[in-house]
Amino acid sequence: MAAPSSPKPFSLAIVGGGIGGLCLANSLFRHNIPVHVYEAAPAFSEIGAGVGLSPNALEAMALQDSAILEGFKRCVTTKASPSESGRFFIFRYGMRKPSADGMIAGQMICEVRHGCETSSVHRARFLEELVKLMPEKAASFSKRLVGIEDKGEEVLLRFSDGTEARHHAVVGCDGIKSQVRKLLLGEGDRTREAVFSGKYCYRGLVPADKATEMLGEDLALNSQMYLGNHGHVLTTPIEQGKTVNVVATHTKEDGEWNEDRWVKPSTKEELLADFEGWSEPVKNILGLVERPDMWALFNHLPAATYHQRGKICLLGDAAHASTPHHGAGAGMAMEDSFILSKLLASIQSVGELENAFAAYDAVRRPRSQRLVTSSRRTGEIYDFEDEIIGDNMEAMREYLEHGWDWIWHEALNLQLGKAQAFLKKHRETALNYTSSL
């Protein structure tokens, strides 16, 4: 993509250098928009192992910047065999005891397909590819945000190390514990902090050769999800098939998380105890996880807005942190980045930032907040806790076969068109008001 001949007359601060923040930054650089990334950590880093990106995410990358998509392709893991392409997960009954309607351990409930090549990456590898696209001196590290002050045409960012920075606006890409979100929504807003979802998960990585020896190639190297009472276990290959990512989710009996840490070391014994009564394939794969970590699963309540007066805007988990049960959080951040970058590329002045942020909010907030609600319910369905579906396998199959349609098959260019129409309408309203003075 050829950059415009002159830079835009406004600069942006991006707080947070994860996948969402760097996708946005790289796209803005290619539109010749001055931008600087402020990362709280000493270097770029991603928490977690595998992340799956489905059709909507791949389309968002392609529409936003082909260089981002090419970077993704360099570290992608596809399915083990061509026949598996297009498959999201095989869902299986995970309990040792047969279900009420006769389903036995390991039996397939259904397979869910989305019709395009299914792929996943190791988060850190993908982030490395995004870092390679960044210009030199485009980021500052160990910059933990503590305050944002409106200075008229600019905003002043204050960091914990005593330094300051000035930009025309700031985009918060700083994750589920977002400081930008807290500052935007303000004290007293119950949606400013994430809430515990009632579930936690164990995460671990298993060498693919060990998983294959234990389970066979089909189960080990193609994505499986085992569903059962108050829990579910998924396995998916990452790192180009060298490693199997294992995630075992369980419901917390009291529904509360009272620890400050959201991630803590666990033990194989604790993990296996939570999945007592599950089938042999599940117990076997969990037995290969040597040093599991326990992750509390939090999500955001729906905020009333993602922006503030052309000064602050939220993207990705900072805006709409979700539980992982749809596997769509990263994809939603990609969509956010696509829409916001295109809107910002289309404006020509500082005064238009507010309308660009408002247009972004108008199209992104309803869809992304739907994901948060739907993902939480999907976790309950996986764990046989949904009040309507329970452990009715036929009803569960019906839900699973169509539960991702609205996520995967979004017309992103149409969504962008709606945002651009919103922006145009507000631009014309402002022009008409000015000409009437």
Side-chain angles (χ1 to χ4, degrees):
M1 181 191 301
S5 57
S6 58
K8 298 281 186 179
F10 52 84
S11 72
L12 298 175
I14 293 179
V15 176
I19 289 174
L22 292 196
C23 281
L24 179 64
N26 280 310
S27 185
L28 295 181
F29 282 128
R30 281 155 184 74
H31 289 296
N32 221 355
I33 297 174
V35 60
H36 196 86
V37 177
Y38 297 92
E39 168 56 43
F44 289 124
S45 63
E46 268 287 348
I47 297 175
V51 56
L53 296 178
S54 44
N56 59 308
L58 301 180
E59 182 185 5
M61 284 190 281
L63 291 171
Q64 181 178 190
D65 187 343
S66 60
I68 293 174
L69 182 60
E70 290 305 312
F72 172 79
K73 288 180 177 179
R74 282 191 289 273
C75 54
V76 72
T77 301
T78 55
K79 295 297 184 180
S81 63
S83 64
E84 303 298 319
S85 184
R87 178 184 284 162
F88 175 53
F89 272 100
I90 295 176
F91 290 88
R92 298 183 182 276
Y93 180 71
M95 304 303 295
R96 184 170 61 232
K97 181 181 178 181
S99 68
D101 50 6
M103 189 161 284
I104 62 173
Q107 185 174 340
M108 185 174 76
I109 301 170
C110 65
E111 64 173 4
V112 175
R113 292 180 172 269
H114 47 47
C116 79
E117 185 175 88
T118 307
S119 50
S120 60
V121 293
H122 193 291
R123 288 176 181 270
R125 302 294 86 76
F126 184 31
L127 191 71
E128 288 172 3
E129 293 293 333
L130 296 174
V131 170
K132 292 176 186 177
L133 300 175
M134 295 276 289
E136 291 185 11
K137 299 180 180 179
S140 298
F141 299 98
S142 300
K143 296 296 179 183
R144 187 168 299 279
L145 185 73
V146 295
I148 301 173
E149 187 175 341
D150 190 338
K151 291 291 186 179
E153 194 172 79
E154 294 182 321
V155 290
L156 177 69
L157 287 77
R158 302 184 187 277
F159 301 100
S160 60
D161 63 0
T163 60
E164 300 175 348
R166 286 178 178 264
H167 293 271
H168 293 100
V170 54
V171 182
C173 303
D174 48 341
I176 190 169
K177 296 183 179 181
S178 171
Q179 178 69 4
V180 179
R181 180 187 179 94
K182 294 173 186 175
L183 294 169
L184 185 155
L185 296 176
E187 294 287 347
D189 189 318
R190 62 188 291 267
T191 71
R192 70 197 297 265
E193 302 269 6
V195 297
F196 182 52
S197 71
K199 297 184 185 294
Y200 57 89
C201 69
Y202 300 91
R203 296 178 186 264
L205 301 176
V206 174
D209 55 350
K210 289 187 177 181
T212 300
E213 181 180 350
M214 178 68 73
L215 302 175
E217 185 173 295
D218 183 56
L219 289 181
L221 299 184
N222 293 294
S223 297
Q224 314 285 328
M225 193 179 304
Y226 302 87
L227 312 184
N229 296 326
H230 308 301
H232 60 277
V233 177
L234 68 85
T235 63
T236 191
I238 59 171
E239 294 188 302
Q240 299 181 324
K242 300 182 183 71
T243 305
V244 175
N245 185 36
V246 180
V247 182
T249 300
H250 201 272
T251 301
K252 198 167 187 296
E253 287 188 18
D254 62 7
E256 297 182 1
W257 190 269
N258 297 316
E259 298 191 41
D260 293 333
R261 293 183 301 173
W262 292 7
V263 181
K264 63 179 184 178
S266 186
T267 64
K268 181 187 295 189
E269 291 72 25
E270 187 175 17
L271 166 59
L272 292 174
D274 266 348
F275 288 87
E276 182 65 34
W278 285 62
S279 65
E280 286 307 305
V282 172
K283 300 296 283 290
N284 287 341
I285 192 66
L286 295 182
L288 294 176
V289 178
E290 293 298 334
R291 292 182 297 276
D293 291 325
M294 181 186 287
W295 297 57
L297 300 180
F298 282 70
N299 63 259
H300 282 142
L301 299 174
T305 183
Y306 288 173
H307 76 107
Q308 182 184 90
R309 298 192 307 276
K311 302 295 186 182
I312 306 175
C313 190
L314 302 175
L315 182 147
D317 279 355
H320 45 76
S322 169
T323 52
H325 309 308
H326 266 311
M332 282 290 161
M334 298 291 185
E335 290 185 18
D336 288 351
S337 180
F338 163 60
I339 298 294
L340 185 56
S341 64
K342 295 300 183 183
L343 288 171
L344 293 172
S346 71
I347 66 174
Q348 305 302 325
S349 69
V350 174
E352 291 184 281
L353 282 169
E354 181 169 3
N355 287 337
F357 288 165
Y360 162 84
D361 179 83
V363 298
R364 293 305 303 153
R365 185 157 50 87
R367 175 167 164 79
S368 58
Q369 289 182 349
R370 179 183 177 186
L371 175 71
V372 178
T373 302
S374 181
S375 179
R376 191 154 173 162
R377 185 189 177 212
T378 297
E380 293 170 352
I381 290 171
Y382 289 165
D383 301 348
F384 302 173
E385 296 168 345
D386 184 71
E387 292 183 358
I388 298 173
I389 294 177
D391 61 355
N392 182 321
M393 293 299 146
E394 189 57 41
M396 188 172 299
R397 181 181 297 111
E398 176 66 21
Y399 177 85
L400 294 173
E401 288 178 343
H402 300 286
W404 285 260
D405 292 350
W406 69 274
I407 299 173
W408 292 340
H409 306 305
E410 173 76 354
L412 292 178
N413 266 329
L414 180 60
Q415 187 182 134
L416 176 61
K418 291 179 180 178
Q420 289 172 329
F422 182 101
L423 181 58
K424 180 181 178 182
K425 178 182 178 181
H426 283 260
R427 182 183 288 147
E428 290 172 349
T429 300
L431 287 173
N432 291 336
Y433 174 77
T434 301
S435 62
S436 69
L437 296 178

